[in-house]
Amino acid sequence: MSAQLNAPQREAIRYLDGPSLVLAGAGSGKTRVITHKIAWLIGECGIHPGNIAAITFTNKAAREMQERVAALMGGRSPGGLTVCTFHALGMKIIRQEAALCGLKPKFSILDAADTVQIVADIAADADRGIAKQLQWQISAWKNALVPPEDAAVLADSELARTAALLYPEYERTLRAYQAVDFDDLIGLPVVLFEQHEAVRERWQNRLRYLLVDEYQDTNRAQYRLLRQLAGTRAAFTAVGDDDQAIYAWRGADVENLKLLKEDYPQLRVIKLEQNYRSSARILHAANTLIAHNEKLFDKKLWSEHGAGEQIVAQAMRDPEHEAESIAMRITAHKFEHRTRFSDYAVLYRGNHQARVLEQHLRNHKIPYVLSGGQSFFDKAEIRDLIAWLRLMVNEDDDLAFIRAITTPRRGIGAGTLEALGRYAGARHVSLFAASFEEGVSEHLNTRQLDLVREFTAFVHQLQTRAVREAADVLLEDFLATLRYEAWLFEHHDPREAESKWSNVRDFVGWLGRKGDEDGKNLVELTQTIALISMLDKDDPEFDGVQLATLHASKGLEFRHVFLIGVEEGLLPHQSSIDEERVDEERRLMYVGITRAQRSLQISWCERRKAGKDWRPCEPSRFIAEMGDDVRVSGGQANAPVSKEEGRARMARLMAMLDERGGTR
């Protein structure tokens, strides 16, 4: 095992005399360290797998980690080992301690769309954009462990003052629905452990060794949870890189690295500086750039991969020219070097930059994969089904009740729901519970009440079957009874209905398989849906150019990288320049550079459209900060060419390809 490891990696794996921080530079083998340490703890130190927790930030990272541990342990994942995200661990704790959290074990987990809807309802404001900003502010307070009663003091803008007024009612609404939001999955265990010492000690004894991946991405609440679980024994390894801290906008706090040093004076810091990914030139540019940031810990990446190709930074006339140039360069490079399309990535600061790229790649018949598109779970048809499943698990979930009872419509309109809602509000009960009370008959007519009770009886029937039958069998029956396919074709044109029904089949098939593989019934599966990414559906065999934002590219690597739109006002973004937060943008650029293994090409546009007019653009300061080894070619080399000349150039290239036997 140790033959594959360098000296600092071995030290990180074997150090067990107290808390440790492994500063793992880009491409330095951090996942290898975590997985080998788990194997070391179990195989060499005799620690039971059930006493170890490895905490990640994405389900994909957790899956990869489990697979690698299984490979190290003879092909089988050790029974009882916890490898999951912070939120999945929080859910596990809340589920087991539900009564102390003021919840039923069958609570609902609300996603971003649900929580924005609640804020919009409380604020009586139909503007989803404003509701989103208000919910974002409440979420930021919850991540920083600021309770509703303290929010008003911290509110420093009109928006924040409005959010502070809504915050207490938002929390009351969640509890009335027997629901939690994503922030509660961390916040509730923190409060629970603070208030109940015996519960805290029980979990400390259960999880005796902790490993935390991407530590620089933790927020204040996650750090508090880590400290509570670690206790005085402080048996943990945190793995992170302060140079890749790019998520401050969603609550991550790079100060947690500083706190670790202050809270644990005996902290052992181990640096992983050998990079196994990139050429020396790429690493030199990355090191030179990031040296402009104030450093918590000094480290310098190095590699044995040789100097590598020249890094080129090139001016383009405009975004159209930039996209056309990239499509042509990928086509030519792929032909010359006999590579695959999946060897290439185009990275950018904002999603809007992908549109023109997609057009030109399609024009050149270049297949591509786009990261960060609409989540599978955000599709209306999937949210319809999830509402039914959530209601089956938790009758008090009023949001799910309203969506399920109206999808498909069962003769129940807004008037019925309004009357039922008024009665339920006055009685302080859920809509579901209200439908069974005698007094409700004074508010709904006989037909309305019959339809509502027919609906609730169907939900009760599902509940009974869900704990006894296999998920796939029940789901098929459910869809047939609901006539959901017919409903889709009645309400959408055939092509759209076909696409939606295909998504439903994918979702139901996936849930059925998951139930079968994990030995879980539909009730157990439903509680975890909010935490599972349907990006499991990605096909690793698909040969396409990867288009991704810099944020979405973190953790990935590609042989050849194009980094586009590297201009002042775009990267660094104008808002960060105005607010003097350029350091995080520099880290974002650093992440982009260190995705590249063999070649890196940077481009910026000399002009961009602003409304109907063109505005001039300046190359980003980051290009100069990468040092003298980057070859910069100015705009004169990119003088405008006519459409005819462009077509002629392309024809010459295609003729050359045909002559040499075509592309492979």
Side-chain angles (χ1 to χ4, degrees):
M1 176 169 100
S2 52
Q4 311 162 10
L5 304 164
N6 62 38
Q9 287 175 334
R10 278 196 296 276
E11 183 190 358
I13 288 160
R14 295 176 184 180
Y15 182 74
L16 296 173
D17 295 335
S20 63
L21 170 63
V22 179
L23 282 171
S28 64
K30 71 180 175 68
T31 307
R32 188 190 304 172
V33 165
I34 295 172
T35 51
H36 276 73
K37 187 150 193 170
I38 292 169
W40 176 265
L41 290 166
I42 297 167
E44 303 296 325
C45 308
I47 297 178
H48 189 275
N51 294 136
I52 300 169
I55 306 169
T56 68
F57 270 81
T58 64
N59 294 300
K60 185 181 173 189
R63 270 197 316 278
E64 184 187 342
M65 218 169 268
Q66 274 173 318
E67 287 163 7
R68 289 214 207 169
V69 171
L72 287 173
M73 304 292 289
R76 290 189 58 152
S77 190
L81 175 69
T82 298
V83 183
C84 65
T85 63
F86 263 107
H87 290 96
L89 179 61
M91 184 185 74
K92 195 175 181 178
I93 294 167
I94 297 169
R95 192 187 274 161
Q96 289 184 28
E97 314 292 348
L100 289 174
C101 295
L103 292 164
K104 300 183 305 188
K106 293 180 179 179
F107 57 88
S108 294
I109 301 170
L110 304 185
D111 64 15
D114 294 320
T115 54
V116 169
Q117 185 60 55
I118 289 173
V119 170
D121 291 345
I122 298 168
D125 190 335
D127 188 320
R128 298 278 296 181
I130 291 171
K132 214 171 189 174
Q133 289 176 48
L134 292 166
Q135 199 281 327
W136 192 261
Q137 177 60 72
I138 291 170
S139 174
W141 281 325
K142 292 179 82 164
N143 280 329
L145 298 171
V146 175
E149 57 272 21
D150 295 349
V153 182
L154 297 172
D156 56 359
S157 68
E158 193 57 45
L159 183 96
R161 282 187 283 277
T162 306
L165 290 172
L166 301 175
Y167 189 1
E169 183 60 26
Y170 172 80
E171 291 291 89
R172 278 195 294 274
T173 305
L174 286 186
R175 297 304 163 258
Y177 290 176
Q178 281 288 302
V180 298
D181 61 18
F182 265 50
D183 306 316
D184 287 327
L185 293 175
I186 310 297
L188 286 177
V190 166
V191 172
L192 173 76
F193 289 158
E194 273 175 8
Q195 294 176 350
H196 299 275
E197 189 181 345
V199 177
R200 182 173 72 243
E201 286 177 0
R202 188 167 73 243
W203 280 90
Q204 286 172 351
N205 288 326
R206 185 183 302 184
L207 303 177
R208 300 183 70 82
Y209 201 94
L210 303 169
L211 300 106
V212 183
D213 190 18
E214 304 286 12
Y215 175 78
Q216 77 283 347
D217 294 338
T218 54
N219 61 37
R220 200 49 58 91
Q222 287 161 337
Y223 178 58
R224 183 86 67 88
L225 183 60
L226 168 65
R227 287 207 67 196
Q228 289 170 328
L229 286 169
T232 51
R233 199 168 54 243
F236 68 80
T237 297
V239 181
D241 180 6
D242 50 329
D243 291 334
Q244 295 188 72
I246 58 172
Y247 292 119
W249 54 276
R250 69 177 191 202
D253 192 347
V254 75
E255 287 292 302
N256 285 351
L257 281 161
K258 207 179 281 181
L259 280 178
L260 209 54
K261 285 175 76 177
E262 292 168 9
D263 293 337
Y264 298 98
Q266 76 278 39
L267 182 76
R268 171 74 70 97
V269 178
I270 300 162
K271 298 177 187 179
L272 305 185
E273 296 172 296
Q274 182 175 357
N275 173 287
Y276 292 92
R277 176 186 298 161
S278 307
S279 69
R281 264 188 168 130
I282 289 166
L283 295 182
H284 175 71
N287 287 332
T288 309
L289 170 84
I290 206 67
H292 289 81
N293 272 6
E294 201 177 308
K295 304 286 281 179
L296 268 177
F297 303 94
D298 270 329
K299 68 174 185 312
K300 217 163 198 173
L301 296 179
W302 59 277
S303 154
E304 293 178 339
H305 283 316
E309 291 182 34
Q310 175 76 55
I311 298 173
V312 178
Q314 198 170 1
M316 298 290 170
R317 196 169 58 253
D318 53 39
E320 287 279 348
H321 177 218
E322 186 175 49
E324 171 73 9
S325 167
I326 285 169
M328 290 178 73
R329 278 187 282 170
I330 289 173
T331 302
H333 193 277
K334 180 178 182 294
F335 172 75
E336 190 181 339
H337 296 276
R338 294 290 190 255
T339 52
R340 287 167 55 86
F341 284 119
S342 54
D343 290 331
Y344 301 87
V346 187
L347 309 180
Y348 38 82
R349 178 64 178 81
N351 273 312
H352 64 278
Q353 292 168 263
R355 287 188 209 112
V356 64
L357 269 170
E358 288 190 79
Q359 288 166 6
H360 284 277
L361 292 177
R362 281 199 299 267
N363 291 348
H364 288 270
K365 297 188 169 47
I366 296 174
Y368 63 88
V369 188
L370 187 66
S371 280
Q374 186 193 30
S375 157
F376 191 84
F377 280 141
D378 287 340
K379 295 180 187 296
E381 58 275 20
I382 304 304
R383 295 185 66 77
D384 288 344
L385 297 189
I386 289 172
W388 276 92
L389 298 179
R390 269 178 26 199
L391 187 63
M392 182 190 72
V393 169
N394 172 16
E395 295 172 3
D396 294 329
D397 190 335
D398 281 358
L399 281 176
F401 181 98
I402 291 164
R403 185 154 192 150
I405 204 169
T406 55
T407 315
R409 285 209 175 274
R410 315 168 74 84
I412 295 161
T416 304
L417 287 174
E418 207 175 313
L420 183 62
R422 270 199 309 273
Y423 175 75
R427 295 279 300 137
H428 301 291
V429 294
S430 69
L431 294 168
F432 200 99
S435 68
F436 290 97
E437 292 199 353
E438 293 224 354
V440 76
S441 57
E442 293 172 25
H443 299 263
L444 301 180
N445 65 39
T446 308
R447 174 170 161 68
Q448 287 175 322
L449 192 54
D450 284 349
L451 288 169
V452 169
R453 285 184 174 164
E454 188 184 306
F455 167 74
T456 51
F458 180 49
V459 173
H460 273 152
Q461 188 189 345
L462 288 173
Q463 288 172 328
T464 307
R465 293 181 62 188
V467 291
R468 296 179 188 160
E469 298 179 26
D472 54 351
V473 175
L474 179 54
L475 284 165
E476 291 300 339
D477 273 7
F478 163 69
L479 283 176
T481 309
L482 208 58
R483 293 188 66 255
Y484 191 74
E485 182 181 12
W487 183 79
L488 284 174
F489 278 89
E490 284 161 18
H491 289 81
H492 302 280
D493 66 61
R495 183 181 285 181
E496 192 180 356
E498 193 66 58
S499 166
K500 286 176 177 289
W501 181 243
S502 169
N503 288 334
V504 168
R505 296 301 326 161
D506 274 2
F507 179 60
V508 167
W510 171 78
L511 260 186
R513 285 193 305 278
K514 200 120 189 78
D516 204 32
E517 288 163 12
D518 300 352
K520 288 183 174 177
N521 63 40
L522 200 50
V523 171
E524 294 164 325
L525 284 171
T526 298
Q527 260 192 324
T528 60
I529 283 175
L531 299 183
I532 299 169
S533 165
M534 279 297 284
L535 298 177
D536 292 358
K537 291 155 54 69
D538 283 352
D539 179 6
E541 298 306 309
F542 179 70
D543 185 24
V545 175
Q546 176 79 57
L547 308 186
T549 63
L550 287 163
H551 284 103
S553 75
K554 189 157 163 285
L556 304 176
E557 56 185 82
F558 306 93
R559 290 182 72 79
H560 309 288
V561 169
F562 294 87
L563 193 43
I564 68 168
V566 186
E567 299 145 30
E568 287 292 304
L570 196 49
L571 181 65
H573 197 272
Q574 191 58 47
S575 61
S576 73
I577 298 171
D578 297 342
E579 295 164 25
E580 298 182 347
R581 288 186 296 102
V582 173
D583 278 14
E584 176 148 339
E585 295 287 300
R586 190 174 283 111
R587 291 195 288 268
L588 201 52
M589 178 78 175
Y590 175 86
V591 165
I593 293 169
T594 53
R595 297 313 91 199
Q597 296 172 330
R598 295 292 165 267
S599 77
L600 173 65
Q601 299 199 40
I602 292 166
S603 57
W604 76 91
C605 295
E606 296 177 317
R607 59 177 195 163
R608 275 184 191 275
K609 267 275 176 72
K612 290 182 178 177
D613 302 319
W614 289 94
R615 61 172 175 79
C617 302
E618 294 292 324
S620 169
R621 68 192 74 184
F622 297 154
I623 295 173
E625 289 177 1
M626 288 167 67
D628 298 335
D629 195 28
V630 176
R631 192 175 79 229
V632 179
S633 60
Q636 296 313 303
N638 296 308
V641 294
S642 66
K643 279 187 181 175
E644 288 70 24
E645 174 58 19
R647 285 198 197 98
R649 284 185 191 176
M650 196 58 203
R652 285 196 293 274
L653 174 66
M654 296 313 288
M656 180 184 81
L657 296 181
D658 289 342
E659 220 172 88
R660 291 173 61 179
T663 54
R664 221 165 62 183

